[in-house]
Amino acid sequence: MTGLSWLRRLSALASLDDGNRRRLYEHVCAATRPVSRDDAAMALGLPRSTASFHLDRLVRDGLLDVEFRKLGGKVGPGSGRPAKLYAPVVDEIGASVPERHYDLAGEVMASAIQNLMAEGGSPREALLETAYARGREVGAAEPRFEDVLASFGYRPEADDDGGYSLVNCPFHRLAESHTNVVCAMNGAFLSGAAAACGIAEDRIADDNREGHCCARIRPAG
């Protein structure tokens, strides 16, 4: 789930370290319909106040959603207040240390293959065009290029010459085993994001230093 920041995703996963909270989360995920606090407390043998506290914590951490609905089919005046019900968040929540984004790589590659199957052409060009378009898409949503880099785990650090080093590779394992493919995709993605943020694409340059992303951002001008 990319809607949450990396730190919030780590916090969400860490919250499942509590035994009761994990049991409640698993119970809600296994249910065929949204679950009330009373039903969850009864099913797990917990005090209602304990179940309510942990369920609301799971909502704050982004692991559960809430909806309000009147139960029992009653409507209109006198039917009572709507019940608070809990349901699992549809999106996955994953986090890694250091931060990785293999989901982004998979999305770009799958889209490129789909385009290739529909239209034919060069696999390399399909990959680069898809990665560039995805970069433009994320760049359009973030006015500052540095924010795009940070949100995808590149960890930009300013160089002495006015450029940026990227001290983390979001696709590390893939880049180790499929260097040419992943680094080409990465460069196209960064170029697209830079273009959308008003940054000259020729500022995206190769970086072969150990322990860095395969690209860096050269100084302007």
Side-chain angles (χ1 to χ4, degrees):
M1 180 178 184
T2 57
L4 297 178
S5 70
W6 179 61
L7 289 176
R8 283 205 64 197
R9 282 182 276 135
L10 286 177
S11 177
L13 295 178
S15 75
L16 294 176
D17 188 52
D18 182 277
N20 285 331
R21 200 172 300 140
R22 184 171 61 253
R23 289 172 62 212
L24 283 162
Y25 176 71
E26 291 171 348
H27 176 71
V28 173
C29 287
T32 57
R33 58 178 62 86
V35 176
S36 71
R37 290 174 289 189
D38 290 337
D39 288 343
M42 184 178 298
L44 298 182
L46 297 172
R48 184 181 186 277
S49 59
T50 299
S52 179
F53 169 79
H54 287 304
L55 287 167
D56 287 340
R57 169 66 185 274
L58 290 165
V59 172
R60 290 197 302 273
D61 286 339
L63 291 162
L64 296 182
D65 277 332
V66 166
E67 63 179 76
F68 292 89
R69 186 196 312 158
K70 291 188 177 182
L71 303 178
K74 296 181 180 180
V75 296
S79 60
R81 297 173 59 186
K84 188 176 185 179
L85 305 176
Y86 299 85
V89 170
V90 174
D91 291 334
E92 298 175 352
I93 295 180
S96 58
V97 181
E99 187 173 5
R100 308 296 189 209
H101 280 272
Y102 299 116
D103 54 340
L104 173 61
E107 175 191 334
V108 168
M109 291 180 182
S111 296
I113 292 170
Q114 181 175 315
N115 293 339
L116 189 63
M117 292 173 65
E119 301 173 9
S122 161
R124 177 181 174 83
E125 290 305 312
L127 177 63
L128 297 185
E129 289 174 6
T130 304
Y132 183 85
R134 185 71 176 99
R136 288 197 67 97
E137 181 183 329
V138 300
E142 288 278 5
R144 297 182 68 250
F145 186 47
E146 293 86 348
D147 292 339
V148 175
L149 297 174
S151 65
F152 282 89
Y154 286 98
R155 289 177 53 198
E157 291 188 354
D159 288 339
D160 293 337
D161 60 3
Y164 289 90
S165 292
L166 306 179
V167 297
N168 182 53
C169 173
F171 319 113
H172 176 69
R173 285 204 316 271
L174 283 174
E176 282 192 325
S177 55
H178 304 284
T179 304
N180 292 337
V181 171
V182 175
C183 290
M185 177 195 71
N186 184 49
F189 173 78
L190 290 173
S191 294
C197 293
I199 303 295
E201 294 179 37
D202 61 8
R203 291 183 60 189
I204 309 300
D206 293 339
D207 189 345
N208 297 319
R209 289 176 295 171
E210 187 73 23
H212 288 70
C213 175
C214 61
R216 67 180 298 268
I217 316 304
R218 296 190 300 194

